[in-house]
Amino acid sequence: MTFSLITSMTLFALAASLSPGPVNLVSVSNGARYGVAAGLGFISGATLGFVGLFLLIGLGLQQIIVALPWITVTIQWLGVSFLLYLSYRLFIDNGEPNNQSAAKAPNFITGALMQWLNPKAWLASVAGIVAYIPDANTELVLVFAALYLPVCWLSLAAWLWAGIMLGHYVQNPARMRWLNKTLAVLLALSCTLLLL
């Protein structure tokens, strides 16, 4: 394993993690609406969910996906359905603060589940494995996953921070509704782009 391979894997992980996608948009919304504590739980769950998915694909699921391509299509449609449901929930949110709002925040489990139903996560995992570890070498899969762990978490943290900064601007319910509706539309559009 060379330094250039590790650097290349890290840059791939950064591009895949930092580029806009469903989990990134929910991180922004989570930060703006619920703050740091709820946001950290969500991004930690999303990071561990992604790394788990990456390891599963890298350590064997890749061969099953190649043999049974309908599995990818099924997962893609399940994921898009789930993301559209989240988009709808975000769109209809009234933007009003209430005492139970933190309980309704996307949490650790939601973050992990989103990655398993996120077509972007599946595509990033399969593309990374095929590009850098076509022979599914276990040691390289583990190294790549270890690189992804901090890169993914820090990338999602950047999106969360952007949401927290936006949250200072959208203190009143009307602005929060506007932000929620904008992010909901972007989330729905990201689903459309994932299907192309």
Side-chain angles (χ1 to χ4, degrees):
M1 182 177 330
T2 64
F3 179 74
S4 62
L5 178 61
I6 290 173
T7 302
S8 185
M9 286 177 168
T10 303
L11 291 175
F12 177 89
L14 182 63
S17 300
L18 201 52
S19 62
V23 174
N24 307 69
L25 294 174
V26 173
S27 295
V28 170
S29 173
N30 211 6
R33 180 71 190 254
Y34 303 107
V36 176
L40 289 176
F42 174 79
I43 67 170
S44 296
T47 299
L48 291 178
F50 177 79
V51 170
L53 175 66
F54 185 86
L55 286 169
L56 183 68
I57 290 172
L59 298 175
L61 187 59
Q62 176 187 2
Q63 285 77 22
I64 295 171
I65 290 171
V66 169
L68 304 170
W70 62 268
I71 290 175
T72 303
V73 174
T74 302
I75 290 167
Q76 185 176 28
W77 281 104
L78 286 172
V80 165
S81 299
F82 177 71
L83 295 172
L84 288 174
Y85 167 75
L86 288 178
S87 178
Y88 168 75
R89 297 287 308 206
L90 190 57
F91 193 84
I92 65 168
D93 185 82
N94 65 11
E96 297 283 341
N98 61 45
N99 295 337
Q100 298 171 341
S101 63
K104 295 191 311 185
N107 58 21
F108 183 92
I109 299 297
T110 307
L113 180 63
M114 270 192 79
Q115 290 291 33
W116 282 76
L117 295 174
N118 179 1
K120 178 188 169 197
W122 283 82
L123 293 172
S125 295
V126 171
I129 297 295
V130 169
Y132 293 98
I133 316 166
D135 60 350
N137 176 297
T138 301
E139 180 185 349
L140 286 177
V141 170
L142 293 174
V143 167
F144 206 169
L147 293 170
Y148 246 120
L149 187 66
V151 169
C152 182
W153 193 90
L154 290 170
S155 297
L156 291 175
W159 285 90
L160 175 66
W161 179 80
I164 291 167
M165 293 299 103
L166 272 173
H168 295 301
Y169 171 73
V170 292
Q171 291 295 318
N172 71 36
R175 287 182 179 165
M176 184 58 76
R177 279 192 299 276
W178 179 85
L179 177 64
N180 286 344
K181 288 183 185 330
T182 301
L183 291 172
V185 169
L186 290 172
L187 182 57
L189 285 174
S190 76
C191 292
T192 305
L193 294 174
L194 290 170
L195 291 174
L196 296 179

PDB file of all heavy atoms in Angstrom, residues 152-179:
ATOM      1  N   CYS A 152     -15.873  11.247   6.502  1.00  0.00           N
ATOM      2  CA  CYS A 152     -17.331  11.335   6.437  1.00  0.00           C
ATOM      3  C   CYS A 152     -17.868  12.153   7.606  1.00  0.00           C
ATOM      4  O   CYS A 152     -18.695  13.049   7.422  1.00  0.00           O
ATOM      5  CB  CYS A 152     -17.931   9.923   6.419  1.00  0.00           C
ATOM      6  SG  CYS A 152     -19.729   9.893   6.294  1.00  0.00           S
ATOM      7  N   TRP A 153     -17.390  11.868   8.815  1.00  0.00           N
ATOM      8  CA  TRP A 153     -17.894  12.579   9.996  1.00  0.00           C
ATOM      9  C   TRP A 153     -17.593  14.074   9.903  1.00  0.00           C
ATOM     10  O   TRP A 153     -18.469  14.909  10.156  1.00  0.00           O
ATOM     11  CB  TRP A 153     -17.292  11.994  11.278  1.00  0.00           C
ATOM     12  CG  TRP A 153     -18.011  12.470  12.495  1.00  0.00           C
ATOM     13  CD1 TRP A 153     -19.085  11.880  13.090  1.00  0.00           C
ATOM     14  CD2 TRP A 153     -17.727  13.650  13.257  1.00  0.00           C
ATOM     15  NE1 TRP A 153     -19.491  12.623  14.171  1.00  0.00           N
ATOM     16  CE2 TRP A 153     -18.673  13.717  14.304  1.00  0.00           C
ATOM     17  CE3 TRP A 153     -16.774  14.650  13.164  1.00  0.00           C
ATOM     18  CZ2 TRP A 153     -18.684  14.741  15.244  1.00  0.00           C
ATOM     19  CZ3 TRP A 153     -16.782  15.682  14.099  1.00  0.00           C
ATOM     20  CH2 TRP A 153     -17.730  15.715  15.119  1.00  0.00           C
ATOM     21  N   LEU A 154     -16.374  14.417   9.525  1.00  0.00           N
ATOM     22  CA  LEU A 154     -16.002  15.833   9.415  1.00  0.00           C
ATOM     23  C   LEU A 154     -16.768  16.536   8.295  1.00  0.00           C
ATOM     24  O   LEU A 154     -17.146  17.704   8.432  1.00  0.00           O
ATOM     25  CB  LEU A 154     -14.497  15.980   9.218  1.00  0.00           C
ATOM     26  CG  LEU A 154     -13.648  15.620  10.442  1.00  0.00           C
ATOM     27  CD1 LEU A 154     -12.170  15.556  10.076  1.00  0.00           C
ATOM     28  CD2 LEU A 154     -13.885  16.604  11.583  1.00  0.00           C
ATOM     29  N   SER A 155     -17.015  15.834   7.198  1.00  0.00           N
ATOM     30  CA  SER A 155     -17.792  16.422   6.105  1.00  0.00           C
ATOM     31  C   SER A 155     -19.222  16.705   6.552  1.00  0.00           C
ATOM     32  O   SER A 155     -19.766  17.788   6.287  1.00  0.00           O
ATOM     33  CB  SER A 155     -17.797  15.482   4.895  1.00  0.00           C
ATOM     34  OG  SER A 155     -16.487  15.318   4.398  1.00  0.00           O
ATOM     35  N   LEU A 156     -19.827  15.741   7.213  1.00  0.00           N
ATOM     36  CA  LEU A 156     -21.193  15.954   7.718  1.00  0.00           C
ATOM     37  C   LEU A 156     -21.212  17.033   8.797  1.00  0.00           C
ATOM     38  O   LEU A 156     -22.171  17.806   8.891  1.00  0.00           O
ATOM     39  CB  LEU A 156     -21.782  14.642   8.238  1.00  0.00           C
ATOM     40  CG  LEU A 156     -22.087  13.595   7.174  1.00  0.00           C
ATOM     41  CD1 LEU A 156     -22.557  12.298   7.827  1.00  0.00           C
ATOM     42  CD2 LEU A 156     -23.119  14.104   6.176  1.00  0.00           C
ATOM     43  N   ALA A 157     -20.151  17.109   9.585  1.00  0.00           N
ATOM     44  CA  ALA A 157     -20.062  18.157  10.608  1.00  0.00           C
ATOM     45  C   ALA A 157     -20.020  19.539   9.957  1.00  0.00           C
ATOM     46  O   ALA A 157     -20.588  20.498  10.486  1.00  0.00           O
ATOM     47  CB  ALA A 157     -18.832  17.942  11.494  1.00  0.00           C
ATOM     48  N   ALA A 158     -19.376  19.648   8.809  1.00  0.00           N
ATOM     49  CA  ALA A 158     -19.342  20.930   8.094  1.00  0.00           C
ATOM     50  C   ALA A 158     -20.753  21.325   7.651  1.00  0.00           C
ATOM     51  O   ALA A 158     -21.145  22.492   7.766  1.00  0.00           O
ATOM     52  CB  ALA A 158     -18.406  20.836   6.888  1.00  0.00           C
ATOM     53  N   TRP A 159     -21.522  20.360   7.164  1.00  0.00           N
ATOM     54  CA  TRP A 159     -22.907  20.637   6.779  1.00  0.00           C
ATOM     55  C   TRP A 159     -23.749  20.985   8.017  1.00  0.00           C
ATOM     56  O   TRP A 159     -24.591  21.881   7.966  1.00  0.00           O
ATOM     57  CB  TRP A 159     -23.506  19.452   6.033  1.00  0.00           C
ATOM     58  CG  TRP A 159     -23.004  19.329   4.627  1.00  0.00           C
ATOM     59  CD1 TRP A 159     -21.904  18.631   4.196  1.00  0.00           C
ATOM     60  CD2 TRP A 159     -23.566  19.936   3.468  1.00  0.00           C
ATOM     61  NE1 TRP A 159     -21.755  18.766   2.846  1.00  0.00           N
ATOM     62  CE2 TRP A 159     -22.767  19.551   2.366  1.00  0.00           C
ATOM     63  CE3 TRP A 159     -24.668  20.748   3.240  1.00  0.00           C
ATOM     64  CZ2 TRP A 159     -23.039  19.966   1.067  1.00  0.00           C
ATOM     65  CZ3 TRP A 159     -24.945  21.154   1.933  1.00  0.00           C
ATOM     66  CH2 TRP A 159     -24.136  20.767   0.874  1.00  0.00           C
ATOM     67  N   LEU A 160     -23.522  20.295   9.103  1.00  0.00           N
ATOM     68  CA  LEU A 160     -24.232  20.591  10.352  1.00  0.00           C
ATOM     69  C   LEU A 160     -23.912  22.009  10.814  1.00  0.00           C
ATOM     70  O   LEU A 160     -24.816  22.769  11.192  1.00  0.00           O
ATOM     71  CB  LEU A 160     -23.840  19.574  11.436  1.00  0.00           C
ATOM     72  CG  LEU A 160     -24.394  19.812  12.832  1.00  0.00           C
ATOM     73  CD1 LEU A 160     -25.907  19.648  12.860  1.00  0.00           C
ATOM     74  CD2 LEU A 160     -23.734  18.851  13.822  1.00  0.00           C
ATOM     75  N   TRP A 161     -22.651  22.380  10.775  1.00  0.00           N
ATOM     76  CA  TRP A 161     -22.232  23.718  11.177  1.00  0.00           C
ATOM     77  C   TRP A 161     -22.916  24.771  10.304  1.00  0.00           C
ATOM     78  O   TRP A 161     -23.358  25.808  10.802  1.00  0.00           O
ATOM     79  CB  TRP A 161     -20.710  23.837  11.091  1.00  0.00           C
ATOM     80  CG  TRP A 161     -20.206  25.194  11.469  1.00  0.00           C
ATOM     81  CD1 TRP A 161     -20.026  25.695  12.720  1.00  0.00           C
ATOM     82  CD2 TRP A 161     -19.842  26.241  10.571  1.00  0.00           C
ATOM     83  NE1 TRP A 161     -19.555  26.991  12.662  1.00  0.00           N
ATOM     84  CE2 TRP A 161     -19.439  27.348  11.344  1.00  0.00           C
ATOM     85  CE3 TRP A 161     -19.808  26.341   9.180  1.00  0.00           C
ATOM     86  CZ2 TRP A 161     -19.021  28.546  10.773  1.00  0.00           C
ATOM     87  CZ3 TRP A 161     -19.387  27.533   8.616  1.00  0.00           C
ATOM     88  CH2 TRP A 161     -18.989  28.610   9.417  1.00  0.00           C
ATOM     89  N   ALA A 162     -23.003  24.501   8.993  1.00  0.00           N
ATOM     90  CA  ALA A 162     -23.700  25.433   8.092  1.00  0.00           C
ATOM     91  C   ALA A 162     -25.156  25.586   8.523  1.00  0.00           C
ATOM     92  O   ALA A 162     -25.699  26.696   8.524  1.00  0.00           O
ATOM     93  CB  ALA A 162     -23.615  24.938   6.651  1.00  0.00           C
ATOM     94  N   GLY A 163     -25.772  24.488   8.931  1.00  0.00           N
ATOM     95  CA  GLY A 163     -27.151  24.557   9.413  1.00  0.00           C
ATOM     96  C   GLY A 163     -27.270  25.342  10.703  1.00  0.00           C
ATOM     97  O   GLY A 163     -28.225  26.111  10.888  1.00  0.00           O
ATOM     98  N   ILE A 164     -26.306  25.168  11.588  1.00  0.00           N
ATOM     99  CA  ILE A 164     -26.329  25.910  12.860  1.00  0.00           C
ATOM    100  C   ILE A 164     -26.202  27.406  12.580  1.00  0.00           C
ATOM    101  O   ILE A 164     -26.909  28.221  13.171  1.00  0.00           O
ATOM    102  CB  ILE A 164     -25.217  25.394  13.798  1.00  0.00           C
ATOM    103  CG1 ILE A 164     -25.556  23.983  14.271  1.00  0.00           C
ATOM    104  CG2 ILE A 164     -25.028  26.334  14.984  1.00  0.00           C
ATOM    105  CD1 ILE A 164     -24.417  23.244  14.932  1.00  0.00           C
ATOM    106  N   MET A 165     -25.324  27.767  11.650  1.00  0.00           N
ATOM    107  CA  MET A 165     -25.178  29.184  11.285  1.00  0.00           C
ATOM    108  C   MET A 165     -26.478  29.714  10.670  1.00  0.00           C
ATOM    109  O   MET A 165     -26.903  30.827  10.972  1.00  0.00           O
ATOM    110  CB  MET A 165     -24.021  29.380  10.304  1.00  0.00           C
ATOM    111  CG  MET A 165     -22.649  29.107  10.887  1.00  0.00           C
ATOM    112  SD  MET A 165     -22.238  30.204  12.264  1.00  0.00           S
ATOM    113  CE  MET A 165     -22.501  29.150  13.666  1.00  0.00           C
ATOM    114  N   LEU A 166     -27.112  28.914   9.811  1.00  0.00           N
ATOM    115  CA  LEU A 166     -28.394  29.312   9.236  1.00  0.00           C
ATOM    116  C   LEU A 166     -29.461  29.445  10.319  1.00  0.00           C
ATOM    117  O   LEU A 166     -30.338  30.292  10.238  1.00  0.00           O
ATOM    118  CB  LEU A 166     -28.868  28.277   8.207  1.00  0.00           C
ATOM    119  CG  LEU A 166     -28.403  28.443   6.786  1.00  0.00           C
ATOM    120  CD1 LEU A 166     -28.827  27.258   5.944  1.00  0.00           C
ATOM    121  CD2 LEU A 166     -28.934  29.732   6.185  1.00  0.00           C
ATOM    122  N   GLY A 167     -29.371  28.571  11.324  1.00  0.00           N
ATOM    123  CA  GLY A 167     -30.345  28.590  12.420  1.00  0.00           C
ATOM    124  C   GLY A 167     -30.369  29.911  13.150  1.00  0.00           C
ATOM    125  O   GLY A 167     -31.422  30.337  13.644  1.00  0.00           O
ATOM    126  N   HIS A 168     -29.241  30.601  13.208  1.00  0.00           N
ATOM    127  CA  HIS A 168     -29.201  31.916  13.852  1.00  0.00           C
ATOM    128  C   HIS A 168     -30.000  32.933  13.041  1.00  0.00           C
ATOM    129  O   HIS A 168     -30.568  33.865  13.589  1.00  0.00           O
ATOM    130  CB  HIS A 168     -27.757  32.403  14.031  1.00  0.00           C
ATOM    131  CG  HIS A 168     -26.965  31.562  14.970  1.00  0.00           C
ATOM    132  ND1 HIS A 168     -27.324  31.357  16.287  1.00  0.00           N
ATOM    133  CD2 HIS A 168     -25.829  30.845  14.777  1.00  0.00           C
ATOM    134  CE1 HIS A 168     -26.440  30.568  16.863  1.00  0.00           C
ATOM    135  NE2 HIS A 168     -25.520  30.240  15.972  1.00  0.00           N
ATOM    136  N   TYR A 169     -30.026  32.736  11.739  1.00  0.00           N
ATOM    137  CA  TYR A 169     -30.751  33.653  10.867  1.00  0.00           C
ATOM    138  C   TYR A 169     -32.252  33.356  10.852  1.00  0.00           C
ATOM    139  O   TYR A 169     -33.066  34.257  10.724  1.00  0.00           O
ATOM    140  CB  TYR A 169     -30.180  33.555   9.447  1.00  0.00           C
ATOM    141  CG  TYR A 169     -30.988  34.303   8.431  1.00  0.00           C
ATOM    142  CD1 TYR A 169     -30.979  35.697   8.382  1.00  0.00           C
ATOM    143  CD2 TYR A 169     -31.786  33.628   7.514  1.00  0.00           C
ATOM    144  CE1 TYR A 169     -31.737  36.393   7.460  1.00  0.00           C
ATOM    145  CE2 TYR A 169     -32.538  34.315   6.586  1.00  0.00           C
ATOM    146  CZ  TYR A 169     -32.511  35.691   6.565  1.00  0.00           C
ATOM    147  OH  TYR A 169     -33.259  36.369   5.651  1.00  0.00           O
ATOM    148  N   VAL A 170     -32.606  32.094  10.960  1.00  0.00           N
ATOM    149  CA  VAL A 170     -34.012  31.686  10.821  1.00  0.00           C
ATOM    150  C   VAL A 170     -34.666  31.438  12.184  1.00  0.00           C
ATOM    151  O   VAL A 170     -35.323  30.433  12.384  1.00  0.00           O
ATOM    152  CB  VAL A 170     -34.165  30.454   9.906  1.00  0.00           C
ATOM    153  CG1 VAL A 170     -33.821  30.782   8.489  1.00  0.00           C
ATOM    154  CG2 VAL A 170     -33.325  29.295  10.400  1.00  0.00           C
ATOM    155  N   GLN A 171     -34.512  32.373  13.092  1.00  0.00           N
ATOM    156  CA  GLN A 171     -35.066  32.211  14.440  1.00  0.00           C
ATOM    157  C   GLN A 171     -36.588  32.236  14.469  1.00  0.00           C
ATOM    158  O   GLN A 171     -37.189  31.606  15.313  1.00  0.00           O
ATOM    159  CB  GLN A 171     -34.526  33.305  15.370  1.00  0.00           C
ATOM    160  CG  GLN A 171     -33.053  33.163  15.678  1.00  0.00           C
ATOM    161  CD  GLN A 171     -32.746  31.909  16.477  1.00  0.00           C
ATOM    162  OE1 GLN A 171     -33.458  31.567  17.400  1.00  0.00           O
ATOM    163  NE2 GLN A 171     -31.699  31.224  16.097  1.00  0.00           N
ATOM    164  N   ASN A 172     -37.222  32.956  13.563  1.00  0.00           N
ATOM    165  CA  ASN A 172     -38.679  33.010  13.634  1.00  0.00           C
ATOM    166  C   ASN A 172     -39.304  31.896  12.785  1.00  0.00           C
ATOM    167  O   ASN A 172     -38.683  31.383  11.850  1.00  0.00           O
ATOM    168  CB  ASN A 172     -39.211  34.405  13.262  1.00  0.00           C
ATOM    169  CG  ASN A 172     -39.064  34.720  11.795  1.00  0.00           C
ATOM    170  OD1 ASN A 172     -39.210  33.862  10.938  1.00  0.00           O
ATOM    171  ND2 ASN A 172     -38.783  35.978  11.490  1.00  0.00           N
ATOM    172  N   PRO A 173     -40.534  31.493  13.108  1.00  0.00           N
ATOM    173  CA  PRO A 173     -41.181  30.365  12.419  1.00  0.00           C
ATOM    174  C   PRO A 173     -41.328  30.551  10.908  1.00  0.00           C
ATOM    175  O   PRO A 173     -41.188  29.586  10.167  1.00  0.00           O
ATOM    176  CB  PRO A 173     -42.544  30.274  13.097  1.00  0.00           C
ATOM    177  CG  PRO A 173     -42.331  30.851  14.453  1.00  0.00           C
ATOM    178  CD  PRO A 173     -41.315  31.947  14.258  1.00  0.00           C
ATOM    179  N   ALA A 174     -41.584  31.769  10.454  1.00  0.00           N
ATOM    180  CA  ALA A 174     -41.753  31.985   9.015  1.00  0.00           C
ATOM    181  C   ALA A 174     -40.462  31.690   8.262  1.00  0.00           C
ATOM    182  O   ALA A 174     -40.471  31.041   7.207  1.00  0.00           O
ATOM    183  CB  ALA A 174     -42.206  33.424   8.753  1.00  0.00           C
ATOM    184  N   ARG A 175     -39.341  32.142   8.780  1.00  0.00           N
ATOM    185  CA  ARG A 175     -38.052  31.853   8.141  1.00  0.00           C
ATOM    186  C   ARG A 175     -37.700  30.374   8.238  1.00  0.00           C
ATOM    187  O   ARG A 175     -37.134  29.803   7.307  1.00  0.00           O
ATOM    188  CB  ARG A 175     -36.943  32.692   8.774  1.00  0.00           C
ATOM    189  CG  ARG A 175     -37.007  34.152   8.385  1.00  0.00           C
ATOM    190  CD  ARG A 175     -35.869  34.912   8.994  1.00  0.00           C
ATOM    191  NE  ARG A 175     -35.903  36.314   8.621  1.00  0.00           N
ATOM    192  CZ  ARG A 175     -35.209  37.251   9.222  1.00  0.00           C
ATOM    193  NH1 ARG A 175     -34.405  36.943  10.230  1.00  0.00           N
ATOM    194  NH2 ARG A 175     -35.284  38.493   8.830  1.00  0.00           N
ATOM    195  N   MET A 176     -38.022  29.745   9.363  1.00  0.00           N
ATOM    196  CA  MET A 176     -37.757  28.314   9.515  1.00  0.00           C
ATOM    197  C   MET A 176     -38.589  27.514   8.511  1.00  0.00           C
ATOM    198  O   MET A 176     -38.102  26.568   7.908  1.00  0.00           O
ATOM    199  CB  MET A 176     -38.044  27.851  10.947  1.00  0.00           C
ATOM    200  CG  MET A 176     -37.707  26.390  11.194  1.00  0.00           C
ATOM    201  SD  MET A 176     -35.984  25.944  10.856  1.00  0.00           S
ATOM    202  CE  MET A 176     -35.171  26.619  12.275  1.00  0.00           C
ATOM    203  N   ARG A 177     -39.857  27.915   8.309  1.00  0.00           N
ATOM    204  CA  ARG A 177     -40.694  27.233   7.313  1.00  0.00           C
ATOM    205  C   ARG A 177     -40.075  27.387   5.918  1.00  0.00           C
ATOM    206  O   ARG A 177     -40.035  26.434   5.145  1.00  0.00           O
ATOM    207  CB  ARG A 177     -42.119  27.795   7.321  1.00  0.00           C
ATOM    208  CG  ARG A 177     -42.989  27.231   8.415  1.00  0.00           C
ATOM    209  CD  ARG A 177     -44.450  27.587   8.210  1.00  0.00           C
ATOM    210  NE  ARG A 177     -44.698  29.024   8.209  1.00  0.00           N
ATOM    211  CZ  ARG A 177     -44.876  29.759   9.313  1.00  0.00           C
ATOM    212  NH1 ARG A 177     -44.836  29.191  10.495  1.00  0.00           N
ATOM    213  NH2 ARG A 177     -45.102  31.055   9.207  1.00  0.00           N
ATOM    214  N   TRP A 178     -39.593  28.599   5.610  1.00  0.00           N
ATOM    215  CA  TRP A 178     -38.963  28.833   4.317  1.00  0.00           C
ATOM    216  C   TRP A 178     -37.738  27.930   4.138  1.00  0.00           C
ATOM    217  O   TRP A 178     -37.561  27.306   3.094  1.00  0.00           O
ATOM    218  CB  TRP A 178     -38.571  30.313   4.183  1.00  0.00           C
ATOM    219  CG  TRP A 178     -37.902  30.612   2.885  1.00  0.00           C
ATOM    220  CD1 TRP A 178     -38.502  30.903   1.706  1.00  0.00           C
ATOM    221  CD2 TRP A 178     -36.490  30.610   2.631  1.00  0.00           C
ATOM    222  NE1 TRP A 178     -37.561  31.098   0.727  1.00  0.00           N
ATOM    223  CE2 TRP A 178     -36.305  30.918   1.268  1.00  0.00           C
ATOM    224  CE3 TRP A 178     -35.369  30.379   3.412  1.00  0.00           C
ATOM    225  CZ2 TRP A 178     -35.056  30.999   0.684  1.00  0.00           C
ATOM    226  CZ3 TRP A 178     -34.125  30.459   2.821  1.00  0.00           C
ATOM    227  CH2 TRP A 178     -33.974  30.772   1.470  1.00  0.00           C
ATOM    228  N   LEU A 179     -36.887  27.864   5.161  1.00  0.00           N
ATOM    229  CA  LEU A 179     -35.701  27.003   5.094  1.00  0.00           C
ATOM    230  C   LEU A 179     -36.115  25.540   4.939  1.00  0.00           C
ATOM    231  O   LEU A 179     -35.573  24.819   4.101  1.00  0.00           O
ATOM    232  CB  LEU A 179     -34.831  27.181   6.343  1.00  0.00           C
ATOM    233  CG  LEU A 179     -33.606  26.267   6.417  1.00  0.00           C
ATOM    234  CD1 LEU A 179     -32.618  26.572   5.294  1.00  0.00           C
ATOM    235  CD2 LEU A 179     -32.919  26.401   7.771  1.00  0.00           C
TER     236      LEU A 179
END
